[in-house]
Amino acid sequence: MAQHGAAGKGYYRLVLRAPELADAALPGQFVMLRVSDNLDPILARPFGISAVIAKKSIELYYRIVGRGTSMLSGVEAGRLLRVLGPIGNGFPAPAKETVPVLIAGGSGFPPFLFFSTYFRTVSPIVVIGARSRSCLPPYAAISRFKDRAKKVYIATDDGSAGRKGLVTDMLSSVFASTKEQGRFVFYACGPRGMMAAAAAFAERHGIPCHVSMEERMACGLGVCMGCSVAAASGGYKRVCKEGPVFDSREIDWSEQMLLKLRK
Amino acid sequence: MAAITKIKPDLSVDFAGIRLKNPVLTASGTFGYGEEFRDIVDLNKLGGVIVKGVSLRPIKGNPPPRIWETPAGMLNAIGLENPGVDVFLSEKLPYLRNFNTAVIVNIFGSTLDEYVAVAERLDRVSGISGLEVNISCPNVKAGGIVFGTNVEATFDLLSALRRATKLPLIAKLSPNVTDITVFARAAEDAGCDGLSLINTLLGMAIDVRCRRPRLANCTGGLSGPAIRPVAVRMVWQAARSVKIPIIGMGGILTAEDALEFILAGASAVAVGTANFVNPLATLNVVKGIENFLREEGIETVRELVGKVMA
């Protein structure tokens, strides 16, 4: 662990020196990181890669959401941790005549940091949403988006920063405020409800849409079948193998919403 | 204690007529059909692979959440997702045939007839060394009572399978029973060539804020180091009640864990959840057993089977 520290807004930023991994990493891929050097907790945790640094290290951002991330937050720089990756299919590379619209809700923004620095032939529109100002990505991350984006839109549910409302309300404004809608390609990463709404919006307007799904994971290798998400074609697809990035039409959003509503 | 031997220890095992180059296999449901581990574990180094359970027809599995981590373990309610026996034969088995390792196919069904139909499909297919029968499934014809928690159902099922195939038949016992020896003997009496135990323990976890179970299925199977003492005890009890050989499993992470099972009476072991913790776990266990034999001056792993002084 080369660097590890609080990044603001409740996020931690960590840099792992892992040359082979960094060299192979693509935007949209993730890693399974063991958060201690023993068997507690027993399973590794998945984190989306937010940057590759000098082809030697990968950067991750995370919040404390449970036991594993809580333990990770106490690990000091200089320690060695086991990491498996890069895992998954990554985002499809955007064609240079397209305008990627990166829709990041809550803690879904890290893979888009990688997307925006890696794909340099396009200039994305970035739409960031959070419950409130205190849950937005750290200032440094938003700054990085501003360096690469055509425009960055911010929406908070409670209006404490940016525009009041959901990310998907913002999409209507974004869509209306430009003559380039025909070149839009949506990429969404965040809470299920947000992605379902983004997918529905995309469907209504004939916009291609790719979603980065997330589910509890055990192996990260495709063998335990734990991370499966409901597929529109019936059956399930593995987030770690067939994903994490899916064409939004591949996902059965009705079951996603049913499961979300149970919470 | 004997002087440390200079001869390479012999790890080979003859299990129910299946020749294993070493006693370490992968547990069903934790290694897929081998391909995902292609760049990680050389299957030629394993004693055998027990593949993810195969049913007659494809099964989609349960809605998520399917897994939940617990202290020293995890719960799973995957729901037996698999592509069905036809796809297994056409798409999965060919890859496994490339390797010099035993391929044991785990099978299951929701009725006795389905189990028999799968076994008949697999009988006499080249590349299959044996069948492991998952009896921990509900019998839909008997109101969903799990085969493996009812002795008569267990005996009837395994007897029918014995008639259906000449392949080595291994009964994977459920630990969710009062007396494992009753089921061990039923399997032996039905004509099984071996046993494997234990399958997962039935467990549950609850999200106290939402007041809901952590798994969509409510309950699930507990695996990992947490269950090892239960598994070792059951292997010990079963080994004393039958003559047929046993594959011991339940929370094996290291060679030392594996040796506990062997001393308790297992002729071979299966490594499961450990594959998620360290994908190289199986290879570490093989190497570790070899080192142990060398250090203890023991020539063959076979001579340790059942040698706990209890």
Side-chain angles (χ1 to χ4, degrees):
Chain A
M1 192 181 276
Q3 292 173 48
H4 191 198
K9 301 280 198 311
Y11 284 94
Y12 291 80
R13 172 181 177 270
L14 79 83
V15 176
L16 289 170
R17 195 183 147 86
E20 277 182 50
L21 207 170
D23 197 45
L26 294 169
Q29 290 186 310
F30 64 99
V31 297
M32 285 291 271
L33 177 67
R34 293 197 65 77
V35 303
S36 71
D37 52 16
N38 55 58
L39 293 176
D40 181 31
I42 195 162
L43 299 175
R45 301 313 201 235
F47 297 99
I49 301 169
S50 58
V52 163
I53 299 168
K55 292 192 188 174
K56 287 203 183 61
S57 306
I58 57 169
E59 176 196 70
L60 312 175
Y61 275 93
Y62 68 94
R63 295 181 83 84
I64 295 178
V65 293
R67 196 158 176 274
T69 39
S70 180
M71 290 171 73
L72 178 61
S73 67
V75 177
E76 284 147 10
R79 290 269 303 278
L80 287 175
L81 293 174
R82 271 210 166 153
V83 64
L84 179 75
I87 304 174
N89 57 358
F91 293 114
K96 70 176 194 287
E97 59 275 5
T98 62
V99 176
V101 181
L102 309 180
I103 305 161
S107 49
F109 70 91
F112 291 139
L113 282 171
F114 197 1
F115 183 112
S116 53
T117 49
Y118 188 88
F119 296 120
R120 305 201 82 93
T121 60
V122 292
S123 188
I125 292 172
V126 179
V127 181
I128 295 173
R131 278 194 303 275
S132 72
R133 171 187 220 102
S134 59
C135 307
L136 283 171
Y139 180 76
I142 297 188
S143 207
R144 276 155 70 175
F145 280 127
K146 287 187 170 155
D147 288 344
R148 290 285 307 133
K150 238 191 258 296
K151 191 137 168 44
V152 177
Y153 294 86
I154 293 179
T156 47
D157 294 1
D158 66 359
S160 52
R163 182 175 139 151
K164 182 171 155 78
L166 301 173
V167 150
T168 39
D169 301 330
M170 189 67 109
L171 286 177
S172 305
S173 312
V174 173
F175 193 76
S177 69
T178 173
K179 290 193 173 50
E180 295 181 308
Q181 308 93 331
R183 301 203 279 144
F184 276 3
V185 177
F186 280 5
Y187 300 81
C189 184
R192 286 287 162 93
M194 183 210 86
M195 291 199 289
F201 186 101
E203 182 74 29
R204 280 198 302 277
H205 294 94
I207 303 171
C209 179
H210 306 283
V211 293
S212 177
M213 300 296 284
E214 176 182 62
E215 189 53 75
R216 299 255 167 212
M217 248 175 227
C219 73
L221 292 165
V223 293
C224 74
M225 317 297 273
C227 65
S228 298
V229 290
S233 54
Y236 294 92
K237 296 195 188 222
R238 296 165 292 186
V239 170
C240 71
K241 207 74 180 163
E242 285 80 48
V245 180
F246 294 93
D247 182 309
S248 61
R249 290 165 302 182
E250 286 181 75
I251 303 294
D252 177 354
W253 294 106
S254 60
E255 194 172 325
Q256 306 307 329
M257 293 315 297
L258 265 172
L259 294 166
K260 180 197 189 298
L261 289 169
R262 287 180 91 228
K263 291 216 174 285
Chain B
M1 180 164 111
I4 294 181
T5 179
K6 289 199 165 51
I7 304 165
K8 189 172 156 77
D10 177 4
L11 294 176
S12 69
V13 175
D14 182 300
F15 187 93
I18 307 169
R19 181 121 213 307
L20 304 174
K21 69 172 80 68
N22 65 58
V24 181
L25 303 111
T26 59
S28 169
T30 68
F31 214 73
Y33 304 98
E35 259 196 283
E36 286 82 357
F37 277 81
R38 145 180 254 142
D39 298 325
I40 305 171
V41 172
D42 177 5
L43 300 187
N44 291 312
K45 297 209 162 84
L46 300 177
V49 173
I50 308 179
V51 298
K52 167 93 183 163
V54 171
S55 53
L56 188 61
R57 266 167 266 288
I59 289 182
K60 287 181 185 171
N62 288 334
R66 290 178 168 185
I67 56 173
W68 183 255
E69 185 182 78
T70 60
M74 58 177 281
L75 287 168
N76 91 76
I78 307 297
L80 299 167
E81 177 177 344
N82 79 97
V85 67
D86 293 338
V87 170
F88 168 71
L89 287 171
S90 59
E91 292 179 26
K92 309 292 183 189
L93 184 58
Y95 176 76
L96 289 165
R97 284 205 189 94
N98 292 323
F99 299 93
N100 177 22
T101 193
V103 176
I104 296 174
V105 184
N106 178 292
I107 67 168
F108 68 93
S110 57
T111 65
L112 188 148
D113 294 335
E114 277 187 15
Y115 276 91
V116 168
V118 180
E120 284 172 348
R121 281 279 227 293
L122 298 173
D123 193 36
R124 282 177 290 185
V125 171
S126 79
I128 297 178
S129 314
L131 300 181
E132 180 189 60
V133 186
N134 175 2
I135 63 174
S136 301
C137 292
N139 181 357
V140 304
K141 285 215 170 108
I145 296 186
V146 170
F147 284 96
T149 60
N150 177 291
V151 194
E152 285 80 26
T154 297
F155 180 82
D156 291 344
L157 171 61
L158 295 171
S159 305
L161 284 167
R162 179 71 291 167
R163 289 190 291 273
T165 179
K166 296 220 173 2
L167 282 169
L169 204 57
I170 302 161
K172 184 165 183 176
L173 302 183
S174 163
N176 302 306
V177 298
T178 315
D179 184 349
I180 193 78
T181 63
V182 166
F183 291 85
R185 280 193 297 271
E188 185 179 53
D189 292 344
C192 285
D193 303 293
L195 303 176
S196 64
L197 63 153
I198 57 172
N199 205 328
T200 51
L201 283 164
L202 206 50
M204 184 175 187
I206 295 175
D207 178 342
V208 303
R209 296 274 172 203
C210 306
R211 304 183 183 178
R212 289 191 175 279
R214 291 288 190 186
L215 300 173
N217 191 57
C218 295
T219 59
L222 180 69
S223 66
I227 73 171
R228 195 166 65 236
V230 176
V232 170
R233 183 263 301 179
M234 288 197 163
V235 166
W236 181 68
Q237 289 176 324
R240 281 141 60 93
S241 65
V242 295
K243 293 193 166 50
I244 53 178
I246 296 173
I247 300 173
M249 69 186 98
I252 295 174
L253 258 74
T254 64
E256 187 162 317
D257 302 336
L259 287 158
E260 276 194 80
F261 283 87
I262 293 171
L263 286 168
S267 304
V269 296
V271 174
T273 302
N275 293 307
F276 310 154
V277 178
N278 177 2
L280 299 173
T282 44
L283 300 180
N284 290 347
V285 172
V286 174
K287 205 87 207 64
I289 294 175
E290 189 181 336
N291 291 341
F292 179 87
L293 295 178
R294 210 176 257 130
E295 286 160 20
E296 298 278 308
I298 300 167
E299 287 179 7
T300 70
V301 71
R302 291 184 296 278
E303 57 195 88
L304 285 176
V305 175
K307 290 299 190 290
V308 64
M309 296 183 284

